Amino acid sequence: MTRKGVIMKKSIRLVAAIAALAMTAGISACGSSTNGNQAKSDVTAQDVETALTDTSKNVELTVWAYSAKQMEPTVKAFEKKYPHIKINFVNTGAAADHFTKFQNVVQAQKDIPDVVQMSANKFQQFAVSGALLNFANDSIEKAWSKLYTKTAWAQVHYAGGLYGAPQDATPLANYVRKDILDEHNLQVPESWEDIYNEGIKLHKEDSNKYMGILGSDISFFTNLYRSVGARLWKVNSVDDVELTMNSGKAKEFTEFLQKCLKDGVLEGGTVFTDEFNRSINDGRYATFINENWMGNTYKEQNPSLKGKMVVAAPPSWKGQPYQSSSVGSMMSVSAACPKEKQAAALAFINWLDSDKDAIQSWQDTNNGNFFMAASVYQDDENQRNKKETDGYYANDDVNAVYFDSMDKVNTDWEYLPFMSQVEVVFNDVIVPQMNENGDLVGAMAKAQQKLKTYAKDNGFKVTTDAD
């Protein structure tokens, strides 16, 4: 996927097809794209700087966010520093509700916010359907790219367009119940081979315990494949995709996961629910590979585990160093934002996510626990070497684990422009096979065929590993 140039022009037919796709996948097209082009801004980096310094022009921006509680003090700090830019800040609730609300107002072409919080694995559908502003140009690329980590900056691009400023980052870590492993004389796993071998011993000694869980959450599932360098798909352009879900390294890893389920190493199940949390407390799972925000979630929801856990690097695969995954949030400007407001909107999202004072505000507000994508945070050795002081984890170098993982994020990866439909197919076809008698390989082949049909029916050029 190229990061340079503007997003390619599409035919009226393709725009109509993507609009239809967006409707069925949960994203609706913005009226601004019905002329066959993505909404494109001509705002330059200098325009953005001028929007901050020209106090003669008062601007009011409506901003929607699902991380509103964490973000609100920093938004107020922006308004205090730049009082000529007023922020109408709206807490849209949980992320799922947030995206549905944004979809609804875009579809109605009424009450669309100027700025909207997005996720790095969800914005693609909004971008393709024309709901987000593409502000790619050489001046912004040159000025902004150095403000964020290379990985995070790459993630807010799609098919040649630029659709946001990276906010937080979410590298993977392995949350390990060291007390359980010690009880069974097992080692903290460093590879998937270790997970399998140690898991066989654990489950044999206690059939109520598993080395880990294969969670029925699409992000959890794809993170594992990304971390072992197994491509599930490739985006060649805005209307050209390849599906590689059932060949090569992807198929090999799927076969391995099924083997782990069959032999009692992993258990298929739901994650991030009350039942899952009870299982965590009860010690059902000796490890849990997840994004770094889980570290604070453990502290909040499982205080009884204090001192019993360590945070380790994700496992390697087949002798190759692990490749982490990272998604995170981003701030985008909607395509409906009036042209005269766009420079101020871009100035706001860039300041919020990269300015040194803003990053400090994020940390002050969130007890130093918001893992930012900005270079001023990622390049800060004090942050990288910050030690745990509350004793919750048995190792005090948790932050160093996160930073090392961020350094190893697999950049040979992108998300399809219809991830909502991928999630539908995942839940219908793949999740039911996540058990000891399942057929994950067959499910992946079936899911790929369904996605191929869906994409072709909606105007995409699609090739698969079976073609």
Side-chain angles (χ1 to χ4, degrees):
M1 177 178 63
T2 179
R3 291 176 49 203
K4 295 184 178 180
V6 299
I7 199 164
M8 64 176 287
K9 292 186 176 181
K10 309 186 300 296
S11 66
I12 295 293
R13 174 181 171 275
L14 181 60
V15 171
I18 289 178
L21 167 123
M23 291 293 290
T24 56
I27 309 298
S28 46
C30 178
S32 63
S33 67
T34 55
N35 64 357
N37 298 285
Q38 296 293 307
K40 184 71 171 66
S41 171
D42 57 5
V43 174
T44 67
Q46 183 57 55
D47 295 331
V48 173
E49 287 300 312
T50 300
L52 292 177
T53 58
D54 186 356
T55 59
S56 67
K57 294 181 180 180
N58 294 323
V59 179
E60 181 171 345
L61 300 172
T62 297
V63 178
W64 282 16
Y66 52 84
S67 299
K69 290 182 179 179
Q70 296 93 333
M71 195 185 303
E72 188 172 13
T74 309
V75 172
K76 290 181 177 178
F78 174 85
E79 286 189 291
K80 184 176 180 180
K81 188 169 185 177
Y82 302 105
H84 64 290
I85 303 178
K86 181 178 177 2
I87 306 298
N88 176 24
F89 192 55
V90 180
N91 183 347
T92 50
D97 296 334
H98 168 89
F99 290 115
T100 299
K101 290 174 183 177
F102 185 62
Q103 165 207 331
N104 290 341
V105 296
V106 171
Q107 181 180 347
Q109 297 186 36
K110 183 181 179 182
D111 300 325
I112 303 172
D114 301 301
V115 173
V116 59
Q117 189 176 23
M118 282 281 137
S119 173
N121 63 347
K122 293 186 182 297
F123 83 91
Q124 295 83 1
Q125 293 170 123
F126 291 98
V128 168
S129 65
L132 300 180
L133 186 69
N134 172 11
F135 56 94
N137 64 59
D138 290 343
S139 68
I140 287 183
E141 287 286 350
K142 183 178 180 180
W144 290 26
S145 61
K146 59 189 176 186
L147 302 177
Y148 303 96
T149 67
K150 186 178 295 186
T151 298
W153 185 241
Q155 284 191 155
V156 295
H157 290 73
Y158 194 72
L162 173 59
Y163 294 97
Q167 195 162 81
D168 62 323
T170 57
L172 292 182
N174 193 4
Y175 297 91
V176 181
R177 283 289 301 270
K178 185 76 163 49
D179 60 323
I180 293 175
L181 297 185
D182 288 346
E183 179 185 349
H184 294 273
N185 198 28
L186 303 174
Q187 301 299 311
V188 174
E190 296 182 0
S191 67
W192 279 101
E193 183 180 20
D194 292 341
I195 284 180
Y196 181 82
N197 292 334
E198 302 288 83
I200 289 287
K201 298 174 187 176
L202 175 64
H203 193 65
K204 184 177 181 180
E205 292 185 16
D206 187 340
S207 60
N208 291 317
K209 286 184 169 52
Y210 298 81
M211 184 56 74
I213 184 171
L214 184 59
S216 57
D217 174 270
I218 184 64
S219 294
F220 178 93
F221 189 73
T222 56
N223 277 346
L224 295 184
Y225 282 80
R226 185 175 179 179
S227 73
V228 301
R231 261 192 178 275
L232 297 174
W233 43 66
K234 182 180 180 181
V235 177
N236 295 320
S237 73
V238 73
D239 63 343
D240 183 352
V241 299
E242 295 178 39
L243 302 176
T244 55
M245 299 167 62
N246 203 41
S247 63
K249 190 178 288 187
K251 184 176 182 181
E252 184 181 29
F253 189 58
T254 302
E255 291 171 340
F256 174 78
L257 291 177
Q258 185 63 65
K259 180 182 177 182
C260 288
L261 291 168
K262 179 178 179 294
D263 295 344
V265 173
L266 300 177
E267 182 181 40
T270 57
V271 289
F272 316 130
T273 63
D274 289 341
E275 181 182 358
F276 170 71
N277 195 51
R278 286 193 293 271
S279 295
I280 289 291
N281 269 322
D282 293 342
R284 190 170 184 83
Y285 307 115
T287 72
F288 183 52
I289 302 166
N290 199 49
E291 295 166 348
N292 66 311
W293 54 263
M294 193 68 197
N296 289 325
T297 301
Y298 269 114
K299 293 181 180 182
E300 294 168 2
Q301 298 183 354
N302 308 91
S304 64
L305 300 184
K306 183 175 182 178
K308 299 179 180 179
M309 302 183 67
V310 297
V311 180
S316 62
W317 172 251
K318 297 289 184 178
Q320 299 296 313
Y322 76 87
Q323 301 178 64
S324 187
S325 177
S326 182
V327 181
S329 299
M330 56 193 276
M331 296 301 291
S332 299
V333 177
S334 76
C337 181
K339 189 171 184 178
E340 63 271 17
K341 287 186 174 185
Q342 289 177 6
L346 291 171
F348 168 73
I349 67 172
N350 189 46
W351 185 92
L352 185 78
D353 291 346
S354 70
D355 185 86
K356 184 177 181 180
D357 291 340
I359 300 306
Q360 187 59 55
S361 175
W362 279 98
Q363 298 309 308
D364 292 343
T365 301
N366 298 285
N367 298 317
N369 293 322
F370 219 83
F371 196 79
M372 304 299 294
S375 296
V376 294
Y377 179 87
Q378 291 288 328
D379 295 341
D380 187 345
E381 289 298 319
N382 291 328
Q383 291 289 348
R384 181 181 289 265
N385 298 318
K386 185 175 68 175
K387 301 298 184 182
E388 291 280 311
T389 58
D390 59 12
Y392 186 85
Y393 292 107
N395 58 318
D396 65 0
D397 61 343
V398 173
N399 242 33
V401 174
Y402 296 156
F403 275 88
D404 288 345
S405 184
M406 188 66 192
D407 291 341
K408 296 180 176 68
V409 169
N410 178 7
T411 57
D412 186 28
W413 184 272
E414 61 271 314
Y415 292 95
L416 291 171
F418 42 87
M419 286 305 296
S420 292
Q421 185 61 23
V422 174
E423 186 168 2
V424 170
V425 173
F426 171 76
N427 289 329
D428 289 347
V429 178
I430 296 175
V431 170
Q433 299 300 318
M434 288 182 175
N435 58 74
E436 59 183 323
N437 298 313
D439 178 13
L440 281 181
V441 173
M444 290 287 273
K446 183 178 179 181
Q448 176 168 281
Q449 185 57 45
K450 283 183 172 291
L451 290 174
K452 178 181 179 180
T453 300
Y454 180 87
K456 290 185 72 173
D457 287 348
N458 285 282
F460 287 86
K461 177 184 176 182
V462 187
T463 55
T464 73
D465 46 36
D467 294 335

